[in-house]
Every structure is written in structure tokens, then in C-alpha cells.
Amino acid sequence: MTNLIKRASAEARAFSKTRKTRGNTASKQVDADLDNAPVIEAPRKPRFAPVTFSEEGGVRYLHFGTEWVQGAMRLSKPQHIELEYAQQMMSWLLFLATPARIVQLGLGSASLTKFAHRYLRPAKVEAIELNPAVVVAARTMFELPHDDARLAVRELDAWDFVHDRANHGTIGALQIDVYDATARGPVLDSVAFYRAARACLTDAGIATINLFGDHPSYVRNMKRLKEAFDGRVIALPEVHEGNRIALAFSGPALEVSWAALEKRARLLESKLGLPAHQWVKSLREANAENGKGNKSDKSDDTFAI
């Protein structure tokens, strides 16, 4: 994802100053020097769209200068996860007890961060956000609390975060929602990025990724996710906002009965108010679709990945 540039040697730069007086021979020498120059990574130069807001029906929405919704908060329930696709980003709870470390890549309106911080004790919750204006908006307009012993919001590039070896093997649940103003697909979606994200997970960790279903980027992202996670990826059906949430699994093979998932869903609904029963239904649909034509498939009784 990082742009690459070619760096000419000091000699080539000095030589280029006299290229006009030396004719075509000098020009060819400079070109040859540039062709053989080492390739280095250029610093990322983010260009941020304006952070804007709207309100309708008691819900405040976050935008990046366009009509596309980047997050939402119901004013009467600021700790509630308002949007359905954002609720699905918590579907890893069907498979994992509360891990020691939960990380969101992309803060948005901070609905996931606030929810995890308030309800998923004693986990340490971190949000990684590159745009400082989004952090300010989350604090002032969406009731994100200030950092404390369990909460940390860091102004950092998600690419740099996942490639930092200090984070590898330390995250139980990783929630990836990295969009720009166009909102037509993740801005970080290479195999290298997804492999680094997988490296951040613990031995039995799960990543949830917000994809845009009605867009060519969806097929590309699913292909790259499956390459990075050895095929252990499943996507929930598209919700009305057009988003599709993918779950990517790391660690040993997982096999759990649908009955056990239904039992877990009832617990999540009663304790956290999340629509977990619908998640199980969606997983069944996705699992059945993935298992078409496989006569040995045990999807009627178990979810296996």
C-alpha cells in the first residue's frame, strides 16, 4: 500500500544539473543511474476529507465530507451500537470469551470502542486512527471517554500498527474498518496488510473486517483475506447498508455445534443486548452457501472452519 519512489544517487543529481550542456549522452547516463537506483518506501502523506455530521430521527451520523455514513450514535443510547453492520463486527463473541486485548483499526464514531470499553471487562481496548480530527469528533460529538487504564486511542497508521512486531501475537479480537470519504472499500486491502493483521492475533484470535458488498472491491478483498488466512474466512450476508462483515480465523481448526452457538447467542443477547441470534442465522446461511456440492459437509450439525 505504501507508494514506492526511486532515489537517485548524489552523483546523478549533480550530473543532472549539467545535462542540458552535455547532450544526449549525459541524459542516457542519468536515466541509467535512476534505473539502477535503490527503491525506498516513501512516507505516507495522508489527505484527510473534512469531518462532518448530520442528525435525523434522534441519531447523529459521522461523515467525511460526503453523504456516506462513517458511523452513528443514537442520542438517547450513546453506548449502544446503532448500525447493524457495526453490531456484526462484534460477532467474534460467538466464538471467544473476552480476550485480554481488543483492537479497532479505524475509530469512526467510536461505537465499537465505547461498547468494548464499557461492557467487555477486563479487556484492554485500543483504537488506531490516523486522522486526528476523527479522534476529536469521537470525543466531542460521540461521547468517547478519555483514555484510562483500559482504554487507549492512538493516532497512528493502521499499516504501521500491524507491521509493528510488538503487536504480533497479542490481540484476541481485531476489528478492521478502514475507509476513506468514498466509502467504496477498505483503503488497506493488500495480502501483505492482511497477513500482518493475522500476525497480530493470538493463537486463537479472530479478525472481523468491514467490506462493501455491492462493489468490485468485495471479491478482491475476500480473495486476499483467504490467501492471508489460509482460506479460513467466512462473510455474513449483506445488510441493508450494503456492508458485509467477514470473519477471519487464526489458530487451530475450529468445530462447534450450532446448538452451542445458539446457546452462546442467547447469553450475548441477554447480557449485552446484541442481536447474536441473527448472527448465528447468518452464519448458517453463509456456511450452507460455502458447502454447496460437498457431500461430506457436516454443516447441518456443526460450524467448522
Side-chain angles (χ1 to χ4, degrees), residues 195 198 223-233 248-251 305:
R195 281 178 175 161
R198 180 182 181 179
K223 180 180 179 180
R224 293 173 179 177
L225 277 166
K226 288 179 178 180
E227 182 175 345
F229 283 83
D230 298 327
R232 300 183 65 206
V233 180
F249 295 77
S250 185
I305 195 165

Side-chain angles (χ1 to χ4, degrees), residues 25-208:
T25 301
S27 177
K28 291 179 180 179
Q29 287 178 309
V30 172
D31 291 342
D33 184 89
L34 287 171
D35 288 339
N36 296 322
V39 177
I40 63 171
E41 288 192 351
R44 295 173 65 86
K45 296 181 179 179
R47 295 181 179 179
F48 300 126
V51 175
T52 53
F53 314 93
S54 64
E55 287 187 16
E56 183 179 356
V59 178
R60 179 174 295 158
Y61 296 96
L62 173 71
H63 309 268
F64 293 160
T66 71
E67 74 277 9
W68 293 104
V69 171
Q70 303 286 346
M73 178 186 73
R74 185 163 295 277
L75 298 177
S76 61
K77 297 179 179 179
Q79 303 299 325
H80 173 70
I81 302 176
E82 178 66 21
L83 300 177
E84 184 179 359
Y85 80 85
Q87 294 172 347
Q88 290 182 343
M89 291 285 283
M90 301 297 299
S91 57
W92 56 266
L93 282 166
L94 286 171
F95 305 97
L96 297 177
T98 301
R101 190 183 186 197
I102 302 169
V103 174
Q104 292 89 36
L105 302 183
L107 179 63
S109 62
S111 59
L112 297 177
T113 307
K114 290 186 299 182
F115 188 91
H117 177 247
R118 177 159 183 171
Y119 296 111
L120 300 183
R121 298 176 182 273
K124 291 187 176 180
V125 181
E126 297 171 56
I128 308 303
E129 174 57 53
L130 184 59
N131 187 347
V134 173
V135 178
V136 172
R139 302 272 195 211
T140 59
M141 300 294 287
F142 294 95
E143 300 193 21
L144 174 67
H146 291 287
D147 290 1
D148 58 26
R150 291 184 48 248
L151 175 64
V153 178
R154 302 170 61 188
E155 292 179 16
L156 182 66
D157 194 318
W159 173 271
D160 296 331
F161 177 86
V162 298
H163 283 87
D164 184 348
R165 291 183 179 274
N167 295 315
H168 290 184
T170 67
I171 300 169
L174 181 62
Q175 298 166 301
I176 304 174
D177 191 359
V178 284
Y179 278 69
D180 61 12
T182 63
R184 303 300 286 178
V187 295
L188 293 173
D189 65 355
S190 66
V191 174
F193 172 73
Y194 288 134
R195 281 178 175 161
R198 180 182 181 179
C200 290
L201 295 175
T202 57
D203 289 340
I206 299 176
T208 51

Side-chain angles (χ1 to χ4, degrees), residues 187-262:
V187 295
L188 293 173
D189 65 355
S190 66
V191 174
F193 172 73
Y194 288 134
R195 281 178 175 161
R198 180 182 181 179
C200 290
L201 295 175
T202 57
D203 289 340
I206 299 176
T208 51
I209 306 96
N210 179 24
L211 304 177
F212 200 80
D214 187 22
H215 192 261
S217 65
Y218 172 76
V219 174
R220 179 178 71 244
N221 273 272
M222 284 298 291
K223 180 180 179 180
R224 293 173 179 177
L225 277 166
K226 288 179 178 180
E227 182 175 345
F229 283 83
D230 298 327
R232 300 183 65 206
V233 180
I234 190 167
L236 301 180
E238 183 176 325
V239 297
H240 62 85
E241 294 96 346
N243 300 76
R244 292 195 70 173
I245 302 305
L247 291 87
F249 295 77
S250 185
L254 174 68
E255 186 171 318
V256 58
S257 70
W258 291 112
L261 288 175
E262 291 283 3

